[in-house]
């Protein structure tokens, strides 16, 4: 899709404020409206005020109106005129008066974590009361999902929020596509966010003559729902010099709607290319193919490329390459060029070239933008404006003819790669498009297997009979042989062990705007944000979009052995952050703390969730790079109070203050036992509330327990620092 098409698409859904000066006059609706608008803007404002507390400092109100998919809504936005900044936003259905969503944000960013006052149970009572009040008519049709995966990081500028999710039930069967979400502030119980997603007038198939789960399992295994493919992970850090890699994975096929099986017919729910049905949420980024396996080599690389050459082509050379591939009209002038990393492959440099006609020219604005790989000279993409008044609109190309035109273009500009690609017939369009615009995706094949996020995309204007968009994404990587992988049956059994089939209603959207609900068996998501649609084809381990094993995520824990402990609240917070998870859902609060356990907890609490799977060497390197660890300590060593104080003070970058001599004094009987190089750290840690010390003795050499460490780490993040300090 070229940039002009994207711009026009966005314009269709823009919502403009009808009032930006804080008065609450009624919004005027221009143009066509839904059948019934029963409430005014003022009434919508009052509904929000009656059900939510809007901070008094948000004095500037702006309102807007939107009509989309036959649903009329008001948008209401309260903002702070003065510092500190912040906003409270709401959306109200103009027909039913239902509050659809609210959210609030406050600034400036806080310099400290705010220890929640409310427990999770208290927050749940508040959210349940709100849901009962706002959607009482749906009370018997919703079910609270106990989301065991709610987590957070302590290094967060916004208040800690407890999140709760309800799903819609129809005939007692879950409909995960509809439901409610409520976020409750742990600070004061205020509602931080609320979202109601409820589609009316849907037709739900009756749950009669439903096939047995055993039959659904048989169909899932026989389809098959999983396919073997190469997956190129998303890059966590685009600036990283680490090479990209291609993983062999089993993934849910795009041919089916997230592995769905119709519970009435017993057949897989397929994406019908003729009707253009598609589902909004399916597992990522590949296609189903029926390709015969080619001769497999132990390792295969991208043909004909040498990315190690230091020499890059000049801009003029890139221009000449484009002119050989695309006709540049004489009235278009090259007005812009830049050399930047390719957004698809950040380790490669690409020339971006822009031609357009004179802005002062009367008539139609025309443009062509093109991209050329600066190292290989490859023509990797272009987009052009499509003339509005040219071509025979009464005789547009058929899809078959448009495909022939597209393939002729590929044979000319990428003949070698075209031989290594296959038309993706399962997912040719990303949504509703004009019949005069035909989109095609050719997926790259290696060893007869599809390669995710690799291939060629084209758009054909069926009226002007031109290719108006082309994009090549063809990574220069090594691809290992697929000989030593799990069998399809083994992979499917492992996948269903992790995500067993469940019965629910699933919503499917059609390109003509129609919606359909099917009663299906499909792999369980369990409201789990860490759920995976891919398995490592060699180990059977679930992997995420970054190609990382899900075991590397710091999964939140609800510890079962901390009730009554002095640090129960702090340990619970660390559990939600995923820290100290060595023993699963038991914490072992009185166990002695090791250096390794503390350092991992420090990393995870600050948001480095995947660091739980780092090696000991990696942990030590990170701790030394961040100046947390300056002593010669082994990861298995126990930590005393003096060492814990040093770790915590270094975490908040206050070591320079701790090292000032002659200014610190502590009121402990055994103060003289504190070594001079530890006194400043202990004094600061005690004075800032980081250390939990009962009685008159500090005992600097006393070994710290895991409970004491959890208390210290939470209260370290709760220290309110000057604005020029930061936690790294």
């Amino acid at each position: 899709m070229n940039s002009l098409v994207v711009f026009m698409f966005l314009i269709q859904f823009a919502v403009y404020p009808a009032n930006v000066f804080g008065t609450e006059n009624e919004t005027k609706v221009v143009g066509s409206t839904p059948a019934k608008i029963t409430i005014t803007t003022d009434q919508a404002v009052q509904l929000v005020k009656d059900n939510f507390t809007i901070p008094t400092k948000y004095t500037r109100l702006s309102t807007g109106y939107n009509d989309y998919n036959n649903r009329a809504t008001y948008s209401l936005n309260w903002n702070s005129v003065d510092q500190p900044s912040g906003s409270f936003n709401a959306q109200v259905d103009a027909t039913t008066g239902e509050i659809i969503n609210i959210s609030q944000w406050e600034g400036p960013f806080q310099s400290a974590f705010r220890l929640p006052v409310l427990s999770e149970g208290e927050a749940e009572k508040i959210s349940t009361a709100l849901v009962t009040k706002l959607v009482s008519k749906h009370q018997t049709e919703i079910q609270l999902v106990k989301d065991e995966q709610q987590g957070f990081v302590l290094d967060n500028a916004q208040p800690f929020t407890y999140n709760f999710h309800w799903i819609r039930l129809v005939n007692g069967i879950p409909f995960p596509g509809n439901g409610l979400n409520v976020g409750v502030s742990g600070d004061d119980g205020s509602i931080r966010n609320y979202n109601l997603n409820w589609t009316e007038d849907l037709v739900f198939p009756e749950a009669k003559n439903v096939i047995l789960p055993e039959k659904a399992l048989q169909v899932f295994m026989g389809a098959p729902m999983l396919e073997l493919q190469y997956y190129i992970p998303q890059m966590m850090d685009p600036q990283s010099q680490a090479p990209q890699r291609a993983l062999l994975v089993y993934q849910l096929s795009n041919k089916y709607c997230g592995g769905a099986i119709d519970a009435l017919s017993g057949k897989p729910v397929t994406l019908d290319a003729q009707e253009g049905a598609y589902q909004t949420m399916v597992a990522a980024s590949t296609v189903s193919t029926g390709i015969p396996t080619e001769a497999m080599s132990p390792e295969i690389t991208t043909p004909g490329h040498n990315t190690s050459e230091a020499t890059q082509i000049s801009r003029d050379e890139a221009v000449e390459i484009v002119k050989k591939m695309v006709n540049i009209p004489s009235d278009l002038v090259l007005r812009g060029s830049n050399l930047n990393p390719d957004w698809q492959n950040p380790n490669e440099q690409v020339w971006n070239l822009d031609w357009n006609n004179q802005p002062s020219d009367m008539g139609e604005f025309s443009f062509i933008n093109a991209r050329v790989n600066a190292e290989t000279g490859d023509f990797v993409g272009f987009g052009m404006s499509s003339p509005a008044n040219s071509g025979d609109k009464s005789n547009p190309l058929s899809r078959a003819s448009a495909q022939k035109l597209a393939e002729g273009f590929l044979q000319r500009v990428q003949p070698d790669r075209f031989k290594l690609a296959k038309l993706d017939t399962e997912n040719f369009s990303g949504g509703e498009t004009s019949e005069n615009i035909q989109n095609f995706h050719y997926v790259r094949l290696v060893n007869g297997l599809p390669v995710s996020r690799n291939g060629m995309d084209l758009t054909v204007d069926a009226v002007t009979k031109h290719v108006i968009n082309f994009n090549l994404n063809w990574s220069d990587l090594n691809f290992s042989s697929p000989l030593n992988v799990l069998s399809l049956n083994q992979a499917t059994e492992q996948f269903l062990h992790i995500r067993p089939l469940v019965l629910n209603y699933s919503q499917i959207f059609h390109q003509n705007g129609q919606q359909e609900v099917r009663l299906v068996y499909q792999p369980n998501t369990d409201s789990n944000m860490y759920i995976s649609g891919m398995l490592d084809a060699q180990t059977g381990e679930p992997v995420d979009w970054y190609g990382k094993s899900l075991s590397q995520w710091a999964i939140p824990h609800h510890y079962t052995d901390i009730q009554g402990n002095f640090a129960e609240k702090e340990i619970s917070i660390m559990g939600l952050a995923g820290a100290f998870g060595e023993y699963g859902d038991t914490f072992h609060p009185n166990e002695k703390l090791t250096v390794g356990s503390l350092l991992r907890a420090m990393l995870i609490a600050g948001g480095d969730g995947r660091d739980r799977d780092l090696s000991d060497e990696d942990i030590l390197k990170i701790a030394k790079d961040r100046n947390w660890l300056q002593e010669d300590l082994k990861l298995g060593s126990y930590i005393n109070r003096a060492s814990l104080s040093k770790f915590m003070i270094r975490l908040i970058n206050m070591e320079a203050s701790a090292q000032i001599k002659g200014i610190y004094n502590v009121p402990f009987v055994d103060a003289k036992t504190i070594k001079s190089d530890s006194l400043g750290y202990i004094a600061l840690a005690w004075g800032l509330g980081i250390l939990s010390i009962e009685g008159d003795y500090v005992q600097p050499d006393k070994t710290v327990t895991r409970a004491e460490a959890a208390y210290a780490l939470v209260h370290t993040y709760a220290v309110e620092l000057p604005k020029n300090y930061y936690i790294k």
Side-chain angles (χ1 to χ4, degrees):
M1 182 179 291
N2 61 43
S3 57
L4 180 61
V5 173
V6 172
F7 176 75
M8 294 306 295
F9 178 82
L10 293 175
I11 284 293
Q12 295 179 44
F13 300 103
V15 179
Y16 295 96
N19 171 7
V20 295
F21 296 107
T23 60
E24 299 184 12
N25 296 326
E26 183 171 349
T27 302
K28 294 183 179 180
V29 180
V30 180
S32 61
T33 62
K36 293 182 180 178
I37 296 180
T38 61
I39 67 169
T40 66
T41 308
D42 288 345
Q43 289 171 324
V45 167
Q46 192 59 48
L47 281 168
V48 174
K49 288 182 175 181
D50 288 344
N51 290 283
F52 297 93
T53 301
I54 301 167
T56 55
K57 63 182 178 181
Y58 301 155
T59 57
R60 180 178 180 180
L61 171 64
S62 62
T63 65
Y65 171 83
N66 185 35
D67 179 359
Y68 177 62
N69 268 354
N70 296 321
R71 187 177 196 181
T73 59
Y74 294 113
S75 60
L76 313 171
N77 307 287
W78 286 265
N79 293 275
S80 174
V81 176
D82 303 315
Q83 295 298 324
S85 59
S87 66
F88 184 101
N89 311 291
Q91 187 178 25
V92 179
D93 191 301
T95 302
T96 65
E98 284 185 311
I99 298 173
I100 301 170
N101 62 59
I102 73 99
S103 63
Q104 58 177 312
W105 170 88
E106 63 185 38
F109 290 141
Q110 300 296 316
S111 60
F113 167 73
R114 290 185 238 173
L115 192 66
V117 176
L118 273 65
S119 68
E120 186 173 12
E122 291 168 331
E124 181 181 327
K125 290 179 181 177
I126 292 172
S127 65
T128 301
L130 177 69
V131 169
T132 301
K133 180 180 180 182
L134 293 184
V135 292
S136 57
K137 67 178 182 180
H138 298 311
Q139 197 69 38
T140 60
E141 304 173 78
I142 56 176
Q143 180 181 69
L144 177 63
V145 177
K146 290 292 186 179
D147 186 0
E148 299 297 328
Q149 306 306 326
Q150 173 177 276
F152 72 102
V153 298
L154 270 65
D155 189 9
N156 194 328
Q158 293 296 301
F160 170 63
T161 300
Y162 292 104
N163 295 302
F164 302 95
H165 175 59
W166 283 260
I167 60 171
R168 181 178 180 180
L169 299 177
V170 179
N171 303 322
I173 298 171
F175 179 33
N178 275 192
L180 302 94
N181 294 287
V182 180
V184 180
S185 171
D187 270 8
D188 54 14
S190 63
I191 305 301
R192 302 294 302 177
N193 56 75
Y194 168 85
N195 178 264
L196 170 65
N197 179 20
W198 201 279
T199 309
E200 301 288 354
D201 302 325
L202 291 175
V203 178
F204 292 88
E206 291 189 42
K208 293 182 178 179
N209 301 317
V210 173
I211 64 171
L212 295 175
E214 294 79 9
K215 173 63 176 176
L217 176 62
Q218 182 181 357
V219 174
F220 190 97
M221 298 284 289
M225 291 290 186
L226 297 181
E227 66 171 349
L228 181 63
Q229 61 187 238
Y230 289 102
Y231 176 71
I232 301 174
Q234 303 277 348
M235 294 187 70
M236 293 180 63
D237 179 9
Q239 305 302 319
S240 172
Q241 297 302 310
Q244 278 189 295
R245 56 205 175 106
L247 300 178
L248 277 163
V249 302
Y250 278 102
Q251 183 171 359
L252 287 170
S253 169
N254 274 357
K255 184 177 182 179
Y256 308 106
C257 291
I261 298 161
D262 191 294
L264 302 179
S265 69
K267 296 180 180 180
V269 180
T270 59
L271 296 172
D272 190 332
Q274 297 304 314
E275 293 182 5
Y278 69 105
Q279 193 173 28
T280 54
M281 293 184 66
V282 293
S285 67
T286 61
V287 298
S288 174
T289 81
I291 319 148
T293 303
E294 301 170 356
M296 297 181 184
S297 57
E299 194 171 82
I300 186 169
T301 59
T302 305
H305 291 264
N306 182 6
T307 56
S308 63
E309 295 180 4
T311 304
Q312 293 182 335
I313 64 172
S314 67
R315 187 200 72 165
D316 291 343
E317 289 173 313
V319 168
E320 292 305 312
I321 290 171
V322 174
K323 288 182 176 180
K324 291 178 181 178
M325 301 298 180
V326 181
N327 177 47
I328 309 291
S330 58
D331 64 326
L332 299 190
V333 178
L334 181 63
R335 301 191 185 279
S337 63
N338 61 74
L339 180 65
N340 284 306
D342 183 10
W343 66 272
Q344 299 171 126
N345 300 287
N347 293 326
E348 298 181 9
Q349 295 283 316
V350 168
W351 278 108
N352 297 278
L353 308 167
D354 294 291
W355 287 264
N356 58 61
N357 54 7
Q358 291 284 351
S360 59
D361 287 352
M362 298 299 292
E364 220 172 86
F365 175 76
S366 300
F367 69 87
I368 291 178
N369 51 62
R371 298 184 299 119
V372 177
N373 188 301
E375 294 181 353
T376 65
D378 267 324
F379 177 66
V380 295
F382 91 101
M384 63 180 293
S385 55
S386 186
N389 299 311
S390 62
D392 184 359
K393 294 186 179 181
S394 65
N395 187 31
L397 292 175
S398 65
R399 180 159 180 83
S401 297
Q403 178 182 336
K404 185 176 180 180
L405 178 65
E407 294 183 351
F409 177 87
L410 292 179
Q411 287 171 337
R412 181 169 63 83
V413 302
Q414 288 290 342
D416 294 334
R417 291 192 172 101
F418 180 62
K419 298 174 184 177
L420 302 175
K422 179 183 175 66
L423 178 65
D424 176 1
T425 58
E426 308 297 347
N427 192 26
F428 65 83
S429 176
E432 186 174 359
T433 58
S434 165
E435 62 180 6
N436 294 330
I437 298 294
Q438 297 286 351
N439 298 311
F440 300 92
H441 173 63
Y442 289 81
V443 64
R444 179 185 183 183
L445 305 177
V446 173
N447 289 329
L449 301 176
V451 181
S452 71
R453 299 193 300 115
N454 262 209
M456 296 174 284
D457 295 280
L458 300 94
T459 300
V460 174
D461 187 322
V463 174
T464 64
K465 301 176 177 58
H466 283 98
V467 174
I468 59 173
N469 261 290
F470 162 69
N471 180 64
L472 169 74
N473 187 13
W474 205 278
S475 303
D476 186 6
L477 302 173
N478 292 333
F479 294 84
S480 59
S481 168
L483 294 177
N484 299 315
V485 298
L486 298 174
S487 69
L488 179 60
N489 280 345
Q490 289 174 318
T492 304
E493 289 176 1
Q494 172 69 0
F495 183 84
L496 292 177
H497 175 73
I498 300 168
R499 296 180 58 185
L501 295 177
V502 295
L503 182 67
N504 59 38
Y505 286 106
S506 183
Q507 191 172 10
I508 295 176
F509 300 85
H510 294 262
Q511 287 182 319
N512 60 8
Q514 297 299 309
Q515 302 175 40
E516 179 186 10
V517 176
R518 304 279 285 272
L519 182 60
V520 302
Y521 284 99
Q522 61 185 164
N524 184 28
T525 60
D526 197 27
S527 300
N528 185 345
M529 65 177 290
Y530 300 101
I531 207 73
S532 174
M534 292 186 294
L535 299 179
D536 186 300
Q538 295 176 317
T539 66
E541 281 287 313
V543 294
D544 64 12
W545 280 16
Y546 300 107
K548 300 284 188 179
S549 168
L550 290 192
S551 63
Q552 292 181 258
W553 283 91
I555 304 298
H557 298 281
H558 295 263
Y559 295 120
T560 59
D561 59 344
I562 62 173
Q563 187 173 2
N565 188 279
F566 82 95
E568 180 178 350
K569 179 180 290 186
E570 288 82 2
I571 297 171
S572 296
I573 291 170
M574 295 307 298
L576 290 177
F580 294 107
E582 297 92 333
Y583 303 114
D585 284 337
T586 57
F587 182 75
H588 298 201
N590 297 318
E591 184 177 295
K592 294 179 180 179
L593 176 73
T594 64
V595 173
S597 180
L598 177 63
L599 291 177
R600 288 182 187 275
M602 290 168 68
L603 286 168
I604 292 170
D608 298 316
R610 291 182 181 81
D611 286 345
R612 71 175 286 166
D613 204 47
L614 289 174
S615 67
D616 288 352
E617 291 75 16
D618 291 333
I619 289 287
L620 285 171
K621 183 178 185 304
I622 293 173
K624 290 178 179 179
D625 288 345
R626 299 184 182 184
N627 292 318
W628 295 346
L629 179 61
Q630 300 173 19
E631 297 78 14
D632 185 19
L633 295 175
K634 295 182 179 180
L635 295 185
S637 301
Y638 293 128
I639 294 178
N640 60 28
R641 281 182 174 172
S643 294
L644 178 64
S645 299
K646 290 182 179 180
F647 279 117
M648 297 300 100
I649 295 303
R650 289 167 183 165
L651 176 61
I652 54 178
N653 295 315
M654 292 188 68
E655 184 164 51
S657 299
Q659 291 177 339
I660 299 174
K661 304 297 183 182
I663 66 171
Y664 293 107
N665 187 26
V666 290
F668 296 110
V669 174
D670 58 346
K672 291 183 178 180
T673 65
I674 303 173
K675 295 178 181 179
S676 60
D677 64 349
S678 299
L679 178 58
Y681 297 93
I682 291 177
L684 284 175
W686 169 74
L688 293 171
I690 292 172
L691 291 183
S692 172
I693 300 176
E694 293 185 3
D696 298 327
Y697 291 83
V698 64
Q699 298 177 274
D701 296 325
K702 180 184 178 183
T703 300
V704 173
T705 65
R706 288 165 60 86
E708 290 173 315
Y711 181 97
L713 190 49
V714 169
H715 286 273
T716 297
Y717 273 100
V719 173
E720 189 166 349
L721 298 169
K723 291 183 179 179
N724 60 328
Y725 276 81
Y726 64 97
I727 297 177
K728 62 180 179 179

